[in-house]
Each structure stands twice: as structure tokens, then as C-alpha cells.
Amino acid sequence: MHVVQHSEQTLKTALISKNPVLVSQYEKLDAGERHLMNEAFQPASDLFKPITVQSQSDWIITHPEVPQDFEQFFSDAYRKTPTPEKHTIYIQSIGSLANTRVISEEYIKWLKGYCEAFFYGLTVKLLEPVSVSATRCSFRVNDHTQNLQIHAGHILKFLKKKKREDAFCVVGVTMIDLYPRDSWNFVFGQASLTDGVGIFSFARYCRDFYSSHYKGKVKKPKRVSSSDYSIFNNYYVPEITSVLLLRSCKTLTHEIGHIFGLRHCQWLACLMQGSNHLEEADRRPLNYCPICLRKLQCALGFSIVERYKALVRWIDEDCTDTSVSKPSCESAVSTPKPVEAFKEWREWVIKCIAVLQNKE
């Protein structure tokens, strides 16, 4: 294991910039916001830690990338920013997400509520669920793991057609494994910044995916017709646990971050770090580092303290969607949101709120 340690000056420049215009913008931020973000270049900070590399298979080792500081993000002519006309994130579920319809509906509402808090200020709406066959995507049985997979690129094309006039982006979520091309084993998610679409699979986030007892294996692998989607009838979906929900929220907000123009973070431990495998994905925190947080705030214009309060409310509230009918809220009470895995992060957010509210 080794630590990716940047100098205080490097981190300060990555966050604030040396461009007088961007420095001036930073100085006009709320005092509490500057206090929090300045933690980025405080060596003794207990809020933001350096990146730790655990093995040679970690993303930062296998995928060398040029780091993106705030100035590069701000100056990117190709990045997309929400407008009053295009201010909505649409979520499209593909195939069953849980063992019952009620749990599937609650799970997608939990994801919706989390996105509303994380991308504070944007509207998040759910599209009607669709079956795999409705996408007309290619699929396969993975030769190594014997589980079903759908083609991520084909799903992106389908989602592009579903994009509405007020959409900032359309993101698909599924419990079916993804592959981006024949030569790849799998991919957790894939997004297109240009088209404002993304697809993310949570199949590998269940506790037994990598075990020999995984129930999602196709027992008798065989060549199937590219137009015969009956193989997806009653396919295996894992139990919605607290850990699976946490991992789902991580992937969803990481990939939507790419649609905003955020590249993989190489500054501090951050949700926007890349990951090659589940252990590395679990190591990433739920939060953006100050450099990536400033990028997101620049795109959305939110109050950081109000955003953090919204995230705490999402963790604390059982029924997060106040627009749903009373029966749906009652079903949410009988299917409580499993947030045990978020408790430690909740404590971290509370610490950040305390820093933000200290104006000294």
C-alpha cells in the first residue's frame, strides 16, 4: 500500500486556481464554505484524506490520467451545465430491480431521493420501467461467470431516444450485469457526456456475486438467439440490503458526475476516483472531495450546507418522496429504507455541517 500525497500548494492551486477571476470567485464564497473547502490542503484534516493505493490493480495505477483541477473544469468548453429549460435528471429502470414489485418501486424511489439531495437544486423524475426486450439491446452469457449481461452501448442509444425536452440527462439503472464490448469482461456503468445519458448496473453489488453459489448463474449456458429475450424471464435479482443501496448510490452519483464533466479524481479520497473492482469501489467515500465539490457547486449553484442537510434528511427519513400518494408512503413504512451502512457517513456529514456553520 502507498499513499498519493500532493503538496499543500498543489492542492490549493487545484482547488482555488491562480487565475485572478477564479480566485475572486472563491473569495466571494460563504466563509463557512471556504473554511470547509480549505480542508483540502490541510495536512491534519480529518475530513478529507489522501488517496491510498492498495494494489497494482487499482484504477489510478492501471489507467494513468491527467488530473483535472477546478480551472480545467471551469474552462472546459464541452462540459454540460443545467439550464432553467434543461433541469431534470430522469431515471429509467430496466428489468426487475427487486424480488417484488413493491420493493422494486421503493428502491427506485430511494435512489431518486438520494439523487435529489446529492445534486441539490435539480429535479429528479422517474420514467416508467421497461423490460430488457424493450431496449432491443444485444446480450450474452459471460463465458467466465456464466451470468447474463446486456450491452451498455446499445442501452445508451435506447436512453438517448427517451430523452425529453427538459432533461439534463437520462440515466438507466438495472440489476443485470453490463459489458461495453465483446473483449471486456464487464463494466459497472457507462456514460456519454455528449449525449447526456448513462447506464449503471448494480448486479455485482450483491453479497454473493463472486461466490460459487451465486444464484444468477445461467445453469446451462447455451447460444441463444439475439432476438429471444425469454432468457431474461424471472432472472435472478439480489436482496436489497443496506450495503447494496449504498453501493448503488455511489455508482449512480459517480457516473452522473461524469455527465457534469467531472473526470476521475486524483487529488484526494473522493467518490470521483475510478475503480477497477468492488474492493476498490467500496474504498471510495460517498462524498466528493473539496475540489470536485467546487466543480459541482459551480455547475448547480447550491448552498453546500443546505445540500448536506438534504443528505442527512434522506438518511433519516423513511418516506422521502412527498409527491407520492398516501398508499405509497404507507408501503414505504412497511418497507423501511435500509440505511445502516450510511450511519458512519452521516456522522461525517454532520461534522461538515458544523464546519460550514462556523463563520469565524
Side-chain angles (χ1 to χ4, degrees), residues 257-274:
H258 284 317
I259 296 175
F260 277 94
L262 279 75
R263 299 179 203 158
H264 285 129
C265 182
Q266 298 182 59
W267 303 111
L268 295 162
C270 177
L271 177 68
M272 289 309 298
Q273 288 173 244

Side-chain angles (χ1 to χ4, degrees), residues 21 38 82 187 216 351:
V21 174
N38 286 348
V187 69
K351 290 180 181 179

Side-chain angles (χ1 to χ4, degrees), residues 39-222:
E39 289 281 321
F41 49 87
Q42 303 300 325
S45 174
D46 64 348
L47 293 176
F48 303 102
K49 304 293 186 181
I51 296 171
T52 59
V53 179
Q54 300 284 357
S55 75
Q56 292 301 305
S57 65
D58 281 7
W59 180 277
I60 201 167
I61 300 296
T62 60
H63 295 79
E65 298 173 274
V66 177
Q68 181 197 50
D69 60 23
F70 176 76
E71 183 175 344
Q72 289 168 320
F73 171 83
F74 184 84
S75 304
D76 185 352
Y78 298 100
R79 70 177 174 87
K80 292 187 179 296
T81 301
T83 65
E85 296 76 30
K86 296 186 181 296
H87 208 252
T88 303
I89 295 173
Y90 282 95
I91 302 178
Q92 172 72 73
S93 59
I94 299 170
S96 298
L97 298 179
N99 292 319
T100 69
R101 180 183 58 80
V102 171
I103 297 176
S104 186
E105 289 177 352
E106 291 306 315
Y107 174 64
I108 197 71
K109 288 174 186 174
W110 296 333
L111 294 179
K112 171 182 179 290
Y114 187 79
C115 279
E116 286 174 331
F118 197 94
F119 299 105
Y120 191 71
L122 285 189
T123 302
V124 182
K125 295 180 180 179
L126 300 177
L127 294 171
E128 284 296 317
V130 297
S131 63
V132 177
S133 61
T135 70
R136 311 312 297 172
C137 68
S138 294
F139 58 90
R140 72 182 185 185
V141 176
N142 186 291
D143 290 336
H144 304 288
T145 56
Q146 309 304 334
N147 65 299
L148 284 167
Q149 295 182 302
I150 54 180
H151 194 290
H154 295 175
I155 299 293
L156 292 181
K157 290 180 181 178
F158 168 78
L159 294 173
K160 185 179 178 181
K161 296 176 183 177
K162 300 276 286 186
K163 199 170 181 183
R164 299 184 179 180
E165 284 294 320
D166 64 338
F168 170 68
C169 65
V170 181
V171 294
V173 296
T174 184
M175 283 295 180
I176 306 168
D177 206 23
L178 300 171
Y179 70 103
R181 57 179 69 94
D182 291 342
S183 60
W184 280 50
N185 184 31
F186 79 99
V187 69
F188 285 119
Q190 189 172 346
S192 168
L193 171 59
T194 304
D195 296 326
V197 294
I199 174 66
F200 324 117
S201 169
F202 308 135
R204 292 178 180 252
Y205 292 160
C206 70
R207 68 186 81 184
D208 62 346
F209 183 90
Y210 293 96
S211 78
S212 58
H213 307 294
Y214 178 60
K215 297 177 182 178
K217 293 179 184 290
V218 178
K219 294 182 179 179
K220 293 182 179 179
K222 59 183 179 180

Side-chain angles (χ1 to χ4, degrees), residues 310-354:
L311 286 165
V312 172
R313 285 195 300 273
W314 179 86
I315 295 172
D316 292 346
E317 294 171 0
D318 277 331
C319 187
T320 59
D321 189 353
T322 57
S323 66
V324 296
S325 62
K326 186 176 180 181
S328 295
C329 284
E330 290 175 345
S331 69
V333 172
S334 62
T335 309
K337 184 166 46 183
V339 293
E340 296 82 9
F342 293 83
K343 294 302 184 184
E344 184 177 337
W345 188 60
R346 182 187 183 280
E347 294 175 5
W348 180 90
V349 175
I350 294 296
K351 290 180 181 179
C352 289
I353 291 174

